[in-house]
Amino acid sequence: MSLKTKSAEAAVLDGIAELGLGQLSGGSLILESAKAAVQRRADLEDQSEPLLPMLRLELRRLFLLVPKNRDYFVLRVLIGLTPELCSEMLSGPISEVEDAL
């Protein structure tokens, strides 16, 4: 199992651990897993190159963006989080989220 796969699995497990018994839903699991993945991203930043050939062309293009803008795009557009949540998760102003898109 690759380091990326292990990290993704750990982010989902961290997301599950953050959920309370009454909070279990697909949306809340995605949100908590995304939060955990963002926290783990710094550890894996330098290791994205080996993954690129395995991704579809559309996803490879995301790596043309600087990491912070890529994070905003994934969280806001692909996952569908609000600008406020993206701002909170990535510790940046809401205007930065909107400018990145």
Side-chain angles (χ1 to χ4, degrees):
M1 187 181 300
S2 74
L3 184 57
K4 287 272 189 190
T5 305
K6 287 179 186 177
S7 181
E9 183 179 281
V12 172
L13 291 173
D14 288 349
I16 291 169
E18 289 298 316
L19 295 174
L21 290 176
Q23 296 178 307
L24 192 56
S25 73
S28 58
L29 177 59
I30 289 171
L31 176 62
E32 293 302 328
S33 297
K35 286 180 183 178
V38 165
Q39 291 171 349
R40 292 173 173 277
R41 184 183 60 82
D43 297 337
L44 297 174
E45 253 180 29
D46 299 331
Q47 300 169 20
S48 59
E49 292 301 319
L51 176 67
L52 288 179
M54 297 182 341
L55 295 175
R56 294 180 57 182
L57 178 61
E58 296 87 355
L59 292 176
R60 277 188 261 157
R61 289 183 178 149
L62 284 173
F63 286 88
L64 297 173
L65 298 172
V66 295
K68 191 106 174 183
N69 288 356
R70 182 182 329 132
D71 290 343
Y72 285 135
F73 182 83
V74 169
L75 294 174
R76 182 77 179 104
V77 177
L78 299 183
I79 296 178
L81 300 182
T82 65
E84 293 81 14
L85 252 167
C86 294
S87 171
E88 179 185 319
M89 286 175 64
L90 297 172
S91 302
I94 291 175
S95 60
E96 191 175 285
V97 175
E98 293 172 355
D99 289 345
L101 299 178

